[in-house]
Amino acid sequence: MERTQVAIVGAGPAGLLLGHLLRARGIDTVLLEARSRSYVEQRVRAGVCEHPTVELLRELGLADRLDREGLPHHGISLRFDRADHRIDLTELTGKQITVYGQQEIVKDLIAARLAGGETIEFEVTDVALHDLDTDTPRVTWTDATGAAHDLRCDAIAGCDGFHGISRPAIPAPRFYDHTYPFAWLGVLAETPPSHEELIYARHTNGFALHSMRSPEVTRLYLQVSPDDQLTNWSDARIWDELATRLEVDGDFTLREGTLLEKSITPMRSFVAEPMRHGRLFLAGDAAHIVPPTGAKGMNLAVADVHRLAPALTALLRGQGTEQADTYSDRCLRRVWRAEHFSYFMTTMLHRAPNEDPFADQLQLSQLRYVATSTAAATSLAENYVGLDF
Ligand SMILES: Cc1cc2nc3c(=O)[nH]c(=O)nc-3n(C[C@H](O)[C@H](O)[C@H](O)COP(=O)(O)OP(=O)(O)OC[C@H]3O[C@@H](n4cnc5c(N)ncnc54)[C@H](O)[C@@H]3O)c2cc1C
């Protein structure tokens, strides 16, 4: 039987970063990932890094490329009533966000782990968790060559995302689930951004988001129906609809380019409580997901493992169980704040599928309030740049 201190299931941002945080504390880990290295490095997802996320990566010496290639942003634009209303994040909070693709962070974390002499078991199958109620749980799996493994450890970190096997291993969890009556059609376009900052646009046809990944690549989203299909959306229709929803009085031209990727993602809020059972600890999307409107998913995964690493270290070194015992409750406080903020941003900006003039007026009133009240704008900005860990 193989042996390690912490078995980490899943090499997304949560699992990879936890590996680095534990290594910095002298804790050995084995990291298992169901997909191939190239698949996880190419998976296009989040792009907004909160201020505390960037600070943590810097502390660990993992932000060299992020600091070179990431795009620091000091504001975002709310576009409605055919006008831009800028929220000056830095003036309101003294902080900024950094636009840097999640897949770039994943590449950096993988490269740093391998350079440090540690490995990642890619393309594992049949992963199963055992003896979670004991001090020596086990993980079994089959590796890419077909060989079976049986690993004994002191704790397991379930960082395997929303569809992983860790959350179902928690007996009798409590689920909170909210689905929204719309989805996001996301595209990656080979064209420079049309505006230097993110634009969150509310239009009578539905929400649109102008974002970016680099000075050459733009990321754009359209609110669509959850049962919509990509086959309904030709490139020309996507550009037409983006131009309509992003239209503004004044100087703005949407730059078009080749579409490199298209996907439709349903919008959902989900929380599973507790985030711990015995020696199994959940982190990131394995325990909770948010609609992407608040740009919180990846950042919550980072916040979880920032708490999990010292908790596991104390537990394994016999320095007390208090941090491990309170891990779930402490994480969930931040999770619920992010759930609320993501819900707030989503409902403020998306059009309900059925015409509801009353809801429309409430939405516009909220947008005008955020755009004109320093108190309301500060609240949005504080949540957007990320509350301190
Ligand atoms: C289209 C889209 C856009 C998004 N935009 C944003 C955004 O703008 N801002 C933001 O902050 N967040 C955004 N998110 C959310 C963000 O991507 C996630 O919250 C983030 O990936 C969570 O990281 P994680 O490590 O917890 O999970 P994941 O990134 O899902 O990683 C889990 C890993 O576990 C692996 N795995 C699964 N099952 C097993 C198994 N049985 N054994 C071993 N490995 C397994 C998976 O292959 C995966 O690599 C977006 C998500 C999507 C889908």
Side-chain angles (χ1 to χ4, degrees):
M1 189 178 290
E2 297 151 80
R3 185 80 177 84
T4 192
Q5 288 178 289
V6 179
I8 303 175
V9 186
L16 286 162
L17 187 58
L18 180 64
H20 284 284
L21 286 160
L22 289 173
R23 181 187 167 91
R25 290 166 168 80
I27 304 278
D28 291 334
T29 58
V30 166
L31 180 46
L32 306 175
E33 168 55 48
R35 302 287 194 158
S36 68
R37 179 176 178 179
S38 63
Y39 183 90
V40 297
E41 289 188 340
Q42 302 306 322
R43 194 166 39 193
V44 178
R45 284 190 170 179
V48 172
C49 301
E50 286 180 353
H51 179 83
T53 295
V54 173
E55 291 292 293
L56 180 61
L57 291 169
R58 282 189 187 135
E59 262 172 47
L60 291 167
L62 295 166
D64 287 356
R65 198 160 69 90
L66 180 147
D67 281 330
R68 275 199 316 276
E69 298 175 19
L71 308 171
H73 281 207
H74 300 281
I76 57 169
S77 201
L78 299 179
R79 186 169 281 190
F80 61 95
D81 287 347
R82 299 186 62 85
D84 271 329
H85 307 267
R86 185 168 185 268
I87 306 292
D88 193 323
L89 301 172
T90 304
E91 192 177 289
L92 293 165
T93 67
K95 295 172 185 164
Q96 62 187 27
I97 52 148
T98 303
V99 174
Y100 188 64
Q102 175 173 324
Q103 74 273 27
E104 304 306 323
I105 293 186
V106 164
K107 277 183 209 161
D108 295 346
L109 297 183
I110 290 176
R113 183 175 172 97
L114 301 182
E118 291 178 297
T119 57
I120 301 170
E121 287 277 321
F122 286 105
E123 299 182 68
V124 299
T125 51
D126 309 324
V127 179
L129 313 182
H130 314 270
D131 308 334
L132 299 176
D133 290 314
T134 73
D135 290 349
T136 48
R138 288 184 303 120
V139 183
T140 53
W141 74 93
T142 304
D143 72 21
T145 69
H149 293 259
D150 192 341
L151 174 75
R152 191 174 287 286
C153 54
D154 300 312
I156 300 171
C159 302
D160 46 350
F162 189 63
H163 301 288
I165 49 97
S166 297
R167 188 178 62 252
I170 297 209
R174 176 160 191 192
F175 296 141
Y176 301 84
D177 201 354
H178 181 81
T179 46
Y180 298 80
F182 31 75
W184 274 16
L185 166 63
V187 298
L188 204 60
E190 198 170 26
T191 182
S194 308
H195 187 71
E196 60 277 12
E197 293 179 339
L198 275 77
I199 304 169
Y200 288 81
R202 182 222 183 250
H203 188 273
T204 46
N205 286 11
F207 169 74
L209 172 61
H210 165 277
S211 179
M212 64 289 293
R213 287 296 179 268
S214 72
E216 298 82 33
V217 177
T218 305
R219 182 84 166 136
L220 298 144
Y221 296 95
L222 286 169
Q223 173 189 344
V224 296
S225 158
D227 49 18
D228 214 335
Q229 306 290 325
L230 280 177
T231 46
N232 295 332
W233 288 89
S234 65
D235 292 5
R237 183 177 173 209
I238 290 171
W239 286 116
D240 280 353
E241 194 58 29
L242 284 165
T244 303
R245 296 190 195 181
L246 288 166
E247 203 171 24
V248 69
D249 291 335
D251 201 13
F252 176 79
T253 310
L254 181 65
R255 290 194 178 122
E256 297 189 11
T258 308
L259 294 186
L260 305 171
E261 212 230 37
K262 288 190 218 178
S263 60
I264 291 184
T265 313
M267 309 278 279
R268 191 170 185 181
S269 302
F270 176 91
V271 180
E273 293 182 5
M275 290 170 61
R276 176 197 182 183
H277 171 71
R279 288 287 175 121
L280 169 65
F281 297 79
L282 301 182
D285 277 18
H288 42 72
I289 53 172
V290 285
T293 328
K296 288 285 163 256
M298 178 183 69
N299 294 298
L300 271 184
V302 171
D304 285 350
V305 296
H306 174 260
R307 287 198 172 87
L308 184 53
L312 289 176
T313 308
L315 185 70
L316 270 50
R317 295 210 174 121
Q319 293 163 343
T321 63
E322 205 243 329
Q323 286 193 67
D325 293 343
T326 57
Y327 166 73
S328 179
D329 287 348
R330 287 183 294 125
C331 285
L332 286 165
R333 289 181 81 91
R334 189 181 186 92
V335 168
W336 279 112
R337 177 87 297 281
E339 290 287 355
H340 182 271
F341 180 66
S342 306
Y343 177 87
F344 162 78
M345 289 288 282
T346 302
T347 48
M348 182 171 71
L349 289 156
H350 289 70
R351 243 8 245 304
N354 303 317
E355 296 264 315
D356 182 351
F358 181 76
D360 280 352
Q361 291 307 319
L362 291 183
Q363 206 175 43
L364 282 169
S365 167
Q366 181 62 39
L367 279 163
R368 289 176 191 140
Y369 179 50
V370 169
T372 53
S373 154
T374 306
T378 306
S379 170
L380 188 154
E382 181 180 57
N383 281 279
Y384 197 83
V385 300
L387 298 166
D388 288 342
F389 286 153

